[in-house]
Amino acid sequence: MRRRIVAGNWKMNMTPSEAVILCEKLKGLVNNPEVDVVYCVPAIDIMPVAEAVKGTLVKVGAENMYFEEKGAYTGEISAAMLKDAGVSYVILGHSERRMLFGETDEAINKKMKKAIEYGITPIMCCGETLKQREDGITLSHIKSQVKAGFDGIKAEDAENCVIAYEPIWAIGTGKTATSEQAEEVCRAIRECIAELYGAEVADKLRVQYGGSVNASNAAELFNMPDIDGGLVGGASLKEEFGSIVNA
């Protein structure tokens, strides 16, 4: 059975001092030994959060990284820097990065490979717009993102990755895909991985749902056979996150 994983995507929220206070508030609520819990935090918060979660089961994640080792890339952060700072996971290809900052499938694939090289688990995001859903191309679009993101990645590395399905129309809108809609896409993602690597790898890789996950809908979503947890946005900044982890 796949181990559950719930990750909080803090986005551009929380100063370092605020981050430490939040970690303290959540400490007694998220220490669930049956679930991998990850705080994916702004770069400036990584080191204080890593210190704040010492002695707990919580892992620290980053929200992005660059694929080059070092050099004249002002404002970017390398995998080596993240690893040295205590990062275990990194979100790659979030729709906000794709849409607001023009990240391409090719760039995300390079980032995937670099994260794996440094022993950082990628959480690769994929998702469709409302128009793509209405046009009936959700599954073909998602599969193209998955295939591009995993291009050239070995099976033994792929099985340890995480894929987050985030319907763009449900991120930060308060709208949530029904559990059946979420399951349909997460199942298609697993089928796509099976096409690329075989059923054994597909059965090991974990697929999260993201898109306005909250305490009231988490249990129903996480009870679906192909949903292994959630990538949680706004609710990860509240004590409500504890209820989601324990769902």
Side-chain angles (χ1 to χ4, degrees):
M1 184 177 176
R2 292 179 298 273
R3 185 172 170 82
R4 302 293 180 142
I5 177 169
V6 178
N9 177 14
W10 289 13
K11 307 194 180 187
M12 198 177 73
N13 294 292
M14 295 287 152
T15 65
S17 57
E18 289 170 341
V20 171
I21 292 169
L22 179 60
C23 288
E24 190 60 35
K25 282 183 178 178
L26 292 175
K27 190 172 286 185
L29 304 174
V30 301
N31 235 19
N32 187 334
E34 298 179 1
V35 181
D36 287 341
V37 179
V38 188
Y39 297 160
C40 295
V41 306
I44 198 169
D45 293 343
I46 287 171
M47 295 185 75
V49 167
E51 185 64 29
V53 300
K54 275 187 179 177
T56 75
L57 300 175
V58 174
K59 301 295 184 183
V60 180
E63 297 179 11
N64 190 30
M65 53 159 265
Y66 198 48
F67 51 75
E68 295 288 358
E69 289 281 337
K70 60 177 68 175
Y73 305 105
T74 302
E76 294 293 343
I77 298 176
S78 71
M81 293 173 180
L82 295 180
K83 188 70 175 179
D84 192 61
V87 165
S88 302
Y89 292 81
V90 60
I91 298 172
L92 298 176
H94 192 280
S95 63
E96 290 159 4
R97 297 299 312 175
R98 294 178 190 260
M99 297 177 71
L100 299 178
F101 302 98
E103 290 195 1
T104 64
D105 286 334
E106 181 184 11
I108 293 159
N109 177 246
K110 289 179 180 179
K111 292 180 180 187
M112 291 276 290
K113 291 172 179 174
K114 186 58 66 173
I116 290 166
E117 179 183 337
Y118 277 84
I120 300 173
T121 301
I123 300 175
M124 197 205 86
C125 300
C126 55
E128 84 282 12
T129 64
L130 181 59
K131 186 177 187 308
Q132 287 167 329
R133 174 163 282 275
E134 290 174 342
D135 288 345
I137 61 171
T138 292
L139 298 187
S140 61
H141 175 69
I142 298 293
K143 287 183 177 182
S144 72
Q145 288 183 317
V146 172
K147 289 177 180 178
F150 280 78
D151 184 46
I153 292 176
K154 297 177 182 177
E156 58 265 33
D157 295 321
E159 68 183 33
N160 295 314
C161 293
V162 178
I163 298 176
Y165 165 53
E166 294 203 311
I168 296 168
W169 49 272
I171 298 174
T173 64
K175 297 179 181 178
T176 310
T178 65
S179 55
E180 290 78 16
Q181 287 173 321
E183 167 64 15
E184 178 190 26
V185 179
C186 290
R187 182 174 63 248
I189 289 169
R190 202 175 304 284
E191 289 170 352
C192 183
I193 292 295
E195 290 172 16
L196 296 173
Y197 300 105
E200 186 175 348
V201 171
D203 192 52
K204 291 180 180 178
L205 181 142
R206 295 183 290 180
V207 182
Q208 297 176 306
Y209 171 74
S212 299
V213 177
N214 56 54
S216 63
N217 62 28
E220 182 179 347
L221 287 163
F222 298 168
N223 196 43
M224 303 305 287
D226 287 291
I227 299 177
D228 304 313
L231 182 59
V232 184
S236 69
L237 301 171
K238 308 171 187 175
E239 293 184 20
E240 177 184 4
F241 190 61
S243 299
I244 295 171
V245 168
N246 292 306

